[in-house]
Amino acid sequence: MSSSVQDGRVTKHKSSSRRSSARRMSQSNQENKEQKKTQPLPLIERTNALPIEQFRSTYAPTISETFKLKNPTEEAEDSSIPDQTKELDYMLDLYTAKTIPSADFEACFGLIELTSSNAYDGSSVGWSPSKKRKEMKLPDMKYLIARRGSRSEGKDESEPAGGAILGFLSFMVTYEDGKEVIYCYEIHLSPEARGMGLGRQLMLTCENVGRHVGLEKTMLTVFKSNTKAVRFYERCGFEIDEYSPQPRRLRNGTVKEPDYLILSKMLDNDDPWETD
């Protein structure tokens, strides 16, 4: 028998009770697993789980389109002669940290080193090539690569069109202070690509990706010493974020100013950017 009478009470054997409890726990764990399978992932995790081809078609559907920018010609170096410009074709490629070609990755790192290593050296952060490379390879990092030229008709848009990298913007769809944001990690242009509007094109593309995903705002970090970059972001509509670090008063009474700013821009703001 599976039970016995003790002092007028009917009790079950402990071994039977333990087996029943184990079965209930196993059944509960299985139900929890099944429930988790049916629940959709949160927006950030769901977005970052997409293959790059699906991410591109869903959130950056126009990225493969060629765009034109006006380039000053050699004859137009005299600024008193207006409209002596010619338009050239440009295009963007989109990669993840895993899919970016190694040559493109090294070119992007080279641009950071060329344009920003001195700013890092003069900051509290310091310049560390190994740390920067590690950050650049974070799994959810994505890259917008700018090149001159147009994609050949019928060419797979996931393949680079060739040619030197003129600039890039790296970004991540992520959480920041509990908010769903698109965070611009880096934006750098080669010297010959400055002043033609390529930086604006990269930033606009990044913002549009954020809007397509349904994120709240764009965020970035900039060194205070990089006044040119600060002015560029201000023209793009960025403002100092509420979570930007504040001055700290040390024990000896000295006030320590942070050497960087956190800027942000709400993505529901459709006001046009200021003109130069």
Side-chain angles (χ1 to χ4, degrees):
M1 293 178 65
S2 61
S3 61
S4 61
V5 178
Q6 297 179 356
D7 298 329
R9 293 175 299 167
V10 178
T11 60
K12 293 185 177 180
H13 293 305
K14 291 183 179 179
S15 59
S16 176
S17 178
R18 284 197 297 268
R19 286 196 297 271
S20 177
S21 177
R23 282 196 299 270
R24 288 196 298 271
M25 185 175 295
S26 176
Q27 183 179 0
S28 177
N29 289 339
Q30 185 64 31
E31 289 175 352
N32 288 337
K33 288 180 181 179
E34 293 297 326
Q35 187 176 7
K36 287 181 180 179
K37 288 181 181 179
T38 59
Q39 289 178 343
L41 289 171
L43 176 63
I44 299 299
E45 289 78 0
R46 186 169 71 249
T47 301
N48 286 325
L50 293 176
I52 188 59
E53 295 81 7
Q54 190 174 349
F55 181 96
R56 182 188 296 111
S57 62
T58 304
Y59 302 124
T62 62
I63 199 171
S64 61
E65 296 178 2
T66 300
F67 58 93
K68 293 183 180 293
L69 294 176
K70 289 186 177 181
N71 287 20
T73 63
E74 293 181 1
E75 295 79 8
E77 291 181 356
D78 184 352
S79 59
S80 65
I81 305 176
D83 298 328
Q84 276 196 322
T85 57
K86 63 177 181 179
E87 289 188 336
L88 296 178
D89 290 336
Y90 294 86
M91 57 163 292
L92 300 178
D93 290 312
L94 177 64
Y95 302 105
T96 64
K98 185 176 181 179
T99 62
I100 184 172
S102 58
D104 287 355
F105 180 88
E106 292 302 325
C108 290
F109 176 81
L111 281 178
I112 298 175
E113 194 169 37
L114 173 68
T115 63
S116 298
S117 58
N118 289 339
Y120 276 96
D121 270 334
S123 73
S124 58
V125 179
W127 171 246
S128 171
S130 60
K131 288 182 179 179
K132 179 54 66 176
R133 287 176 179 274
K134 185 177 181 180
E135 178 188 83
M136 292 173 69
K137 292 181 179 179
L138 290 172
D140 294 332
M141 192 74 75
K142 294 180 176 62
Y143 289 84
L144 288 168
I145 305 290
R147 310 175 198 271
R148 184 172 292 132
S150 59
R151 201 181 306 278
S152 301
E153 186 175 354
K155 183 179 178 67
D156 186 345
E157 65 181 34
S158 65
E159 298 178 10
I165 291 178
L166 296 178
F168 81 97
L169 182 151
S170 60
F171 68 89
M172 188 182 294
V173 175
T174 186
Y175 297 101
E176 190 68 23
D177 298 307
K179 294 180 171 57
E180 298 170 335
V181 307
I182 186 165
Y183 211 107
C184 173
Y185 274 72
E186 308 279 352
I187 177 169
H188 300 274
L189 301 177
S190 60
E192 65 269 23
R194 294 170 189 169
M196 64 177 67
L198 190 56
R200 286 172 172 262
Q201 185 69 35
L202 285 167
M203 187 59 68
L204 277 172
T205 302
C206 177
E207 292 177 15
N208 284 333
V209 168
R211 289 190 181 94
H212 276 91
V213 174
L215 303 175
E216 182 174 341
K217 59 183 178 179
T218 309
M219 297 184 70
L220 56 88
T221 302
V222 61
F223 288 121
K224 287 183 177 180
S225 61
N226 194 347
T227 55
K228 188 174 181 179
V230 172
R231 289 195 299 270
F232 167 73
Y233 295 132
E234 288 174 346
R235 290 196 300 271
C236 292
F238 283 82
E239 299 177 344
I240 297 177
D241 190 78
E242 59 182 316
Y243 291 104
S244 189
Q246 299 298 313
R248 294 187 297 113
R249 185 177 294 277
L250 305 181
R251 291 181 179 179
N252 62 5
T254 303
V255 176
K256 184 176 179 59
E257 293 282 346
D259 54 12
Y260 67 93
L261 297 169
I262 296 177
L263 306 180
S264 63
K265 177 182 178 181
M266 302 304 292
L267 288 176
D268 59 357
N269 184 357
D270 294 327
D271 291 340
W273 292 1
E274 294 179 24
T275 56
D276 291 330

